[in-house]
Amino acid sequence: MMHLRRFCIFSLLLILSGCGAGETAATATLQAEQAKQAQQQMEQLKQQIDQANAANTQRLQEAIDQAQ
């Protein structure tokens, strides 16, 4: 009877620790995916900023050329 009780407690502890490990792995995977998406968004924003800067530079040059 005592062995059965110890076995049940041990099994329960293993199950609970396994749930925590699975949750930790899932959280890490989710965080990695979010980091990847954030990196992609940063790259897209950088491209948009570069395009806006190029357009502004072109407009400025056109304005300077017209002023001369």
Side-chain angles (χ1 to χ4, degrees):
M1 187 69 157
M2 186 66 134
H3 294 291
L4 180 61
R5 182 176 178 191
R6 285 185 184 173
F7 177 76
C8 289
I9 291 172
F10 182 70
S11 297
L12 182 60
L13 290 174
L14 283 177
I15 291 170
L16 291 175
S17 66
C19 291
E23 183 178 323
T24 301
T27 301
T29 302
L30 178 61
Q31 288 175 342
E33 182 62 31
Q34 289 174 339
K36 182 180 175 183
Q37 289 176 356
Q39 183 68 28
Q40 290 173 344
Q41 289 174 345
M42 285 177 49
E43 287 297 320
Q44 290 173 349
L45 288 174
K46 183 182 181 304
Q47 290 174 357
Q48 289 173 357
I49 290 169
D50 289 344
Q51 290 171 352
N53 284 337
N56 286 336
T57 300
Q58 183 179 359
R59 278 184 250 153
L60 177 61
Q61 188 61 47
E62 290 171 358
I64 290 172
D65 290 345
Q66 288 179 357
Q68 293 176 350

